[in-house]
Amino acid sequence: MRLVLLGAPGAGKGTQAEMLTKLYNIPCISTGNIFREHISKNTDLGKQAKAFMDEGKLVPDSLVIELVKSRITQEDCKNGMIFDGFPRTIPQAEALDAMLKELSIPIDYVINVDVPDEMIIDRMAGRTVCPSCGASYHKTNKIEKVAGKCDLCGKDLIQREDDKAETVKKRLDVYHAQTEPLIAYYKGQDKVLDIDGVGSVDQVRARVMKALGVN
Ligand SMILES: [Zn+2]
């Protein structure tokens, strides 16, 4: 099973990707994870990607494609994969189609998780993380026991740069301009499953499973 997950940053794609990974026993190809791995290892590609991300800008196509290509040819992708956060633009989608055609492994479905902007801004702005152990919290969904302190290690919680309202708005603008045309692109291939992303994780999961015909 080869899937592409589409949806604005903060629409909850990552959570659904985790579920699909277990369901089909296939890896999730998240450019975010590939970037983070390269950044933590301080590779040349990682350094380049970080400079763009720090400014709230998208990493250029050529750089993204290079990273993805090396990832999907690894052994664990032989039964399929889920793309999360890639492709983000029409040129990336075309590059992905060309790559997969060469490997004779076309995309099966494109899952489009739809959530209104205001709801995404609200979700993201309420999020905090522990800089020490990585635990995450949310002002309405997952409240820490002592305000501003990590339940697990007691460290002061912080708001990630990526979660600040201004950064989120900037990313949503970029998303609407560059990524929404992808929905039309994949509708042209008759592969899109539209999913209402408003509601609990379980509700959205049930919608995804139903759309995929899984009971
Ligand atoms: Zn902690």
Side-chain angles (χ1 to χ4, degrees), residues 130 132-135 150 152-155:
C130 172
S132 179
C133 72
C150 180
L152 304 176
C153 64
K155 293 269 172 11

Side-chain angles (χ1 to χ4, degrees), residues 90-162:
I90 296 285
Q92 286 182 3
E94 287 170 346
L96 179 63
D97 275 349
M99 250 189 260
L100 296 179
K101 194 179 175 190
E102 209 179 287
L103 300 166
S104 301
I105 50 168
I107 293 293
D108 294 300
Y109 296 108
V110 175
I111 297 171
N112 176 37
V113 182
D114 188 43
V115 179
D117 283 9
E118 318 79 66
M119 211 168 279
I120 289 173
I121 292 164
D122 195 54
R123 274 186 191 175
M124 305 283 270
R127 210 149 74 170
T128 50
V129 294
C130 172
S132 179
C133 72
S136 59
Y137 300 88
H138 194 275
K139 68 173 179 187
T140 50
N141 302 333
K142 199 185 167 199
I143 306 165
E144 65 274 18
K145 293 191 183 89
V146 179
K149 304 278 184 192
C150 180
D151 287 355
L152 304 176
C153 64
K155 293 269 172 11
D156 286 337
L157 300 178
I158 57 162
Q159 189 178 36
R160 295 191 319 158
E161 203 54 48
D162 279 1

Side-chain angles (χ1 to χ4, degrees), residues 2-167:
R2 287 167 299 273
L3 302 168
V4 170
L5 278 175
L6 289 182
K13 293 193 309 294
T15 313
Q16 298 307 321
E18 246 174 70
M19 179 275 284
L20 292 164
T21 284
K22 286 177 196 145
L23 182 66
Y24 293 110
N25 196 25
I26 51 178
C28 177
I29 309 300
S30 152
T31 50
N33 285 344
I34 304 176
F35 292 167
R36 272 189 286 278
E37 200 187 323
H38 280 262
I39 288 167
S40 74
K41 288 180 181 164
N42 208 27
T43 66
D44 195 44
L45 288 174
K47 278 184 228 168
Q48 291 178 50
K50 189 176 188 300
F52 289 99
M53 290 161 86
D54 282 349
E55 289 179 47
K57 287 182 186 166
L58 288 180
V59 177
D61 289 350
S62 54
L63 191 52
V64 178
I65 288 158
E66 219 173 309
L67 288 158
V68 172
K69 203 178 238 171
S70 67
R71 182 66 190 85
I72 66 166
T73 48
Q74 285 173 26
E75 180 65 16
D76 64 338
C77 291
K78 73 175 197 297
N79 293 325
M81 72 283 292
I82 302 157
F83 292 101
D84 176 20
F86 174 87
R88 274 205 165 117
T89 62
I90 296 285
Q92 286 182 3
E94 287 170 346
L96 179 63
D97 275 349
M99 250 189 260
L100 296 179
K101 194 179 175 190
E102 209 179 287
L103 300 166
S104 301
I105 50 168
I107 293 293
D108 294 300
Y109 296 108
V110 175
I111 297 171
N112 176 37
V113 182
D114 188 43
V115 179
D117 283 9
E118 318 79 66
M119 211 168 279
I120 289 173
I121 292 164
D122 195 54
R123 274 186 191 175
M124 305 283 270
R127 210 149 74 170
T128 50
V129 294
C130 172
S132 179
C133 72
S136 59
Y137 300 88
H138 194 275
K139 68 173 179 187
T140 50
N141 302 333
K142 199 185 167 199
I143 306 165
E144 65 274 18
K145 293 191 183 89
V146 179
K149 304 278 184 192
C150 180
D151 287 355
L152 304 176
C153 64
K155 293 269 172 11
D156 286 337
L157 300 178
I158 57 162
Q159 189 178 36
R160 295 191 319 158
E161 203 54 48
D162 279 1
D163 294 340
K164 290 182 178 161
E166 256 173 63
T167 312

